[in-house]
Amino acid sequence: MADVAKTKRAATAALLIDDYYELSHRILRLGNRGLPRGEFLREAFALLIEASGCDAVEFRLRDGDFCYYAEMTAGPAGNFRFGIIEGIAHEDGNVLPCAADDTPTERLCRDVMRGAFEAGHPYFTEKGTFWTGSAGETSVKASSANGKIPATPYPLDGDYKSLIVAPFAVGEEDVGLLLLKSRQKNYFGRTEAEFFEGVAQNAGVAIADRRTRWRLGERVKEMTCLYGIAEVASRPGISAAEVFREIVRLLPPAMQYPDITVGKIVIDGFVYTTEEGEDAPYKLSSEIVVNNENRGIVEVQYKEAKLDYEPGIFLREEQSLLDAIARQIGLILENRQAEEERARLQEQLRHADRLATIGQLAAGVAHELNEPLASVLSFAELLQDDASLSSQGAEDVEKILTASLHAREVVWKLLFFAREVPTIKKHVNLSDSVEEAISLLGSRFDKENIECVLALSPKTPEIVADPAQLHQIIVNLVVNAIQAMPDGGKLTVRTAADEESVFLTVADTGVGMSEEVKKNIFLPFFTTKEVGQGTGLGLPVVHGIVTAHGGSIAVESVPGRGSRFQVRIPLPSPTDVNESGDDG
Ligand code: ADP
Ligand code: MG
């Protein structure tokens, strides 16, 4: 075949690389190197220009709905262009890699692609390549035997006076065109047309090869990225911020041009990026959606535009990859959220469990102490009545009595906390209870320089509760609030109701609580107050009572700003009414 190619070489041909096989091999080897498209075409064009001595090489390729073209002009001033043309539709439904323009060159390309020339045409090879011949100098005619195409001249009156238009297949179905252009008239002959028709065919193979290799390379990068994300997300104990910092670093290597790529993730307003500063000009992004809620974006940015234009600057595959990454991040967030919720519930359960255990223990101790305390108290009272007691003795008995009463108070609170005290439930109005309790504490407010604001809803529906216990709740919360404002402040007590519950809110502008303190306030004997100031039983008792009434208690606090306790007690259901004794 080499001999055939050689003998076919015309004397007029300007073939500078004389071996067809050498040129073809070089192009095939280029395809094998897995270069990005732009680089591949540049090098292949340089070879073709060198081999043919022509002034420009153009290449067109159909790829799905798009057609790419690339052109390189020879010489020191030669430049390389790459872009997209909107191909025109053939009657068979396929897109032709030809522009809709009605220039002679475009018409020529179109007619070659449509197979408008008959095999016997003087400037038409058996395999379908057309070249401009000598007839009519710069114009040629296509004539169709079946009369489909009228004889049409192609007056090549532009820069180029001679052309070869060689169609080729890429892979199995893609269709491309290779054009060689010369400024000289009659530059090409049949030999050159046949030579480059073969080269074009091999270029098609090289293109298919390059694409496969390159796509494989891109797939490997994608898989590496997605695998990396899964690996990061599954690291035990890793924080969400660390996950995103790691993922953002995996983005650039997954793109076509890692060196000029900036990765960026924005989640709930937090930004993670591989490069601080202004956004780069070319961006591709995908939204991160968690439980149907848009939480942010994952984005890649190119600092400069590269040659390998797709319909945009980025590849379609890169958009799909980014979408996949966004979905994966969404899933990671969803999982983390679910996990946090689980941990919170577990902590709540543990807390309740701890309280119950302590309650049982406390109740046991309280019962044990109750008996001896009762004896101490009654004997001390007996002693008090003894007329023969010295004044020193009377003073001592007084101390015994005070101390025992205090001890009994503690025991009583413990029993309350452990819900060991029988409750007497009645229909009561929360706002009335608050007013009553506050009036008893009233004198303390002025003394402590506290402004007390009551915002009592007159419309709170009646609840079924133990009035003494309700009183306990209010007094405990208000006393805590007063104690939290040693330098004075504002106390607000509010009542409200909705269809299901009544609410009591006690807010102060006092010292507030740290997270650590807030975690422990319902534990019995937890106190931050000095001995004599607090027993650490107030809030556990409140908690016990509220729970016994089927309600709940919520706390908000900011250190240095104040605290707010809200108690919710459900309204009675119609079957709930019970005026008689009941141990809750
Ligand atoms: P005590 O008042 O006897 O310390 P409590 O159970 O009533 O016990 O309260 C437990 C702890 O919770 C207190 O020692 C205090 O640290 C904190 N606390 C309760 N209420 C408030 C409040 N309104 N502001 C700041 N801290 C509070
Ligand atoms: Mg207290």
Side-chain angles (χ1 to χ4, degrees):
M1 280 268 281
D3 289 343
V4 180
K6 272 181 186 157
T7 52
K8 275 194 174 178
R9 268 188 59 201
T12 55
L15 295 179
L16 303 178
I17 293 180
D18 50 359
D19 191 342
Y20 165 84
Y21 289 102
E22 190 185 338
L23 179 57
S24 295
H25 268 141
R26 284 215 215 164
I27 292 177
L28 282 172
R29 272 199 302 274
L30 270 183
N32 253 309
R33 275 163 50 191
L35 299 170
R37 181 167 43 213
E39 271 169 61
F40 166 77
L41 288 175
R42 252 176 213 278
E43 297 204 17
F45 282 1
L47 283 176
L48 287 168
I49 286 175
E50 192 194 346
S52 66
C54 70
D55 296 308
V57 178
E58 190 180 325
F59 148 93
R60 296 167 177 208
L61 182 63
R62 175 159 70 85
D63 185 5
D65 297 337
F66 297 95
C67 290
Y68 302 100
Y69 80 90
E71 185 183 42
M72 185 148 101
T73 49
N79 65 30
F80 179 78
R81 288 190 301 144
F82 184 85
I84 305 224
I85 46 174
E86 209 173 306
I88 55 167
H90 187 29
E91 57 239 24
D92 70 6
N94 276 332
V95 171
L96 300 182
C98 310
D101 303 359
D102 208 31
T103 62
T105 314
E106 284 308 326
R107 267 192 289 129
L108 189 54
C109 288
R110 238 178 290 155
D111 288 346
V112 169
M113 290 309 297
R114 286 153 70 197
F117 297 96
E118 348 161 356
H121 193 282
Y123 304 118
F124 191 64
T125 69
E126 267 167 43
K127 289 182 186 141
T129 295
F130 196 91
W131 78 96
T132 54
S134 56
E137 304 284 9
T138 54
S139 22
V140 292
K141 286 183 179 179
S143 59
S144 162
N146 55 21
K148 254 201 281 184
I149 306 279
T152 324
Y154 302 93
L156 298 176
D157 49 10
D159 279 354
Y160 301 110
K161 310 296 183 201
S162 304
L163 285 180
I164 287 178
V165 183
F168 62 88
V170 173
E172 288 192 349
E173 48 171 346
D174 286 340
V175 180
L177 273 182
L178 179 69
L179 277 76
L180 289 113
K181 308 176 186 181
S182 172
R183 290 199 177 81
Q184 297 171 41
K185 286 180 189 173
N186 300 328
Y187 188 71
F188 304 113
R190 176 176 288 273
T191 312
E192 285 78 16
E194 283 173 349
F195 181 94
F196 284 105
E197 164 178 272
V199 171
Q201 206 43 63
N202 283 320
V205 173
I207 287 167
D209 224 34
R210 182 207 71 83
R211 248 199 223 166
T212 315
R213 273 173 184 273
W214 183 82
R215 283 199 175 136
L216 189 67
E218 293 301 296
R219 280 312 83 76
V220 168
K221 287 190 331 190
E222 281 173 28
M223 294 316 291
T224 309
C225 174
L226 290 172
Y227 173 77
I229 293 175
E231 189 273 322
V232 167
S234 64
R235 275 185 218 162
I238 189 167
S239 75
E242 278 169 326
V243 168
F244 300 131
R245 265 198 294 276
E246 293 272 334
I247 292 179
V248 86
R249 261 185 261 148
L250 294 170
L251 297 177
M255 293 295 128
Q256 228 189 141
Y257 302 105
D259 297 347
I260 57 159
T261 306
V262 179
K264 184 172 174 182
I265 296 177
V266 183
I267 285 186
D268 299 336
F270 289 99
V271 179
Y272 305 87
T273 174
T274 52
E275 237 165 272
E276 299 295 337
E278 294 273 296
D279 277 2
Y282 307 99
K283 301 178 186 177
L284 185 72
S285 59
S286 184
E287 287 183 358
I288 299 169
V289 177
V290 183
N291 297 328
N292 295 325
E293 195 189 333
N294 191 345
R295 297 278 294 272
I297 54 157
V298 50
E299 188 169 81
V300 285
Q301 302 170 354
Y302 277 166
K303 288 188 268 187
E304 52 192 85
K306 277 282 190 177
L307 253 180
D308 258 8
Y309 285 4
E310 275 281 310
I313 281 178
F314 296 93
L315 304 176
R316 277 165 281 177
E317 289 86 351
E318 288 173 332
Q319 180 72 64
S320 325
L321 174 63
L322 224 50
D323 291 345
I325 293 172
R327 272 195 302 277
Q328 220 171 348
I329 293 177
L331 280 178
I332 292 173
L333 282 172
E334 231 163 87
N335 282 344
R336 286 199 156 243
Q337 227 164 300
E339 223 160 85
E340 272 163 28
E341 180 65 7
R342 217 167 21 242
R344 205 179 57 77
L345 279 177
Q346 226 155 37
E347 177 53 36
Q348 236 170 30
L349 271 179
R350 259 204 300 275
H351 193 77
D353 209 38
R354 211 159 48 212
L355 283 183
T357 314
I358 294 171
Q360 280 166 3
L361 205 73
V365 173
H367 276 304
E368 288 298 317
L369 287 179
N370 225 3
E371 285 288 304
L373 257 183
S375 313
V376 171
L377 264 170
S378 39
F379 283 113
E381 271 162 7
L382 279 178
L383 255 181
Q384 205 177 26
D385 295 339
D386 188 342
S388 65
L389 217 58
S390 70
S391 64
Q392 178 62 48
E395 251 178 61
D396 292 349
V397 170
E398 190 60 40
K399 278 184 192 146
I400 292 173
L401 268 172
T402 319
S404 322
L405 282 171
H406 176 70
R408 196 178 65 177
E409 179 78 11
V410 170
V411 164
W412 185 81
K413 277 187 174 169
L414 275 179
L415 289 172
F416 228 133
F417 165 69
R419 302 192 216 156
E420 297 275 317
V421 177
T423 52
I424 320 276
K425 286 190 176 176
K426 289 200 169 81
H427 280 280
V428 279
N429 182 294
L430 181 64
S431 294
D432 293 347
S433 303
V434 170
E435 230 162 330
E436 200 181 292
I438 294 289
S439 70
L440 289 173
L441 290 162
S443 61
R444 285 189 68 175
F445 299 134
D446 288 341
K447 214 168 70 195
E448 314 263 350
N449 194 19
I450 287 167
E451 179 197 353
C452 175
V453 180
L454 293 186
L456 305 180
S457 162
K459 290 191 293 255
T460 50
E462 286 193 330
I463 49 173
V464 174
D466 183 321
Q469 295 186 2
L470 215 49
H471 187 80
Q472 274 289 319
I473 294 178
I474 301 158
V475 169
N476 276 322
L477 292 180
V478 170
V479 167
N480 277 349
I482 294 173
Q483 286 175 326
M485 299 185 284
D487 304 322
K490 184 169 152 187
L491 167 82
T492 314
V493 184
R494 190 182 294 278
T495 57
D498 63 16
E499 278 91 71
E500 287 156 10
S501 312
V502 294
F503 299 90
L504 165 71
T505 310
V506 178
D508 64 64
T509 56
V511 293
M513 288 174 262
S514 67
E515 281 300 314
E516 194 51 38
V517 168
K518 213 166 83 178
K519 249 199 270 174
N520 292 311
I521 51 176
F522 294 113
L523 289 179
F525 305 112
F526 173 83
T527 179
T528 57
K529 293 166 192 169
E530 284 166 29
V531 185
Q533 281 278 319
T535 53
L537 283 173
L539 290 178
V541 163
V542 171
H543 189 274
I545 296 173
V546 169
T547 320
H549 285 79
S552 58
I553 180 165
V555 191
E556 283 166 30
S557 186
V558 181
R561 298 280 300 277
S563 312
R564 190 168 167 274
F565 286 79
Q566 186 176 61
V567 170
R568 181 187 65 82
I569 295 176
L571 294 177
S573 59
T575 56
D576 221 8
V577 186
N578 168 18
E579 297 278 340
S580 62
D582 161 11
D583 68 0

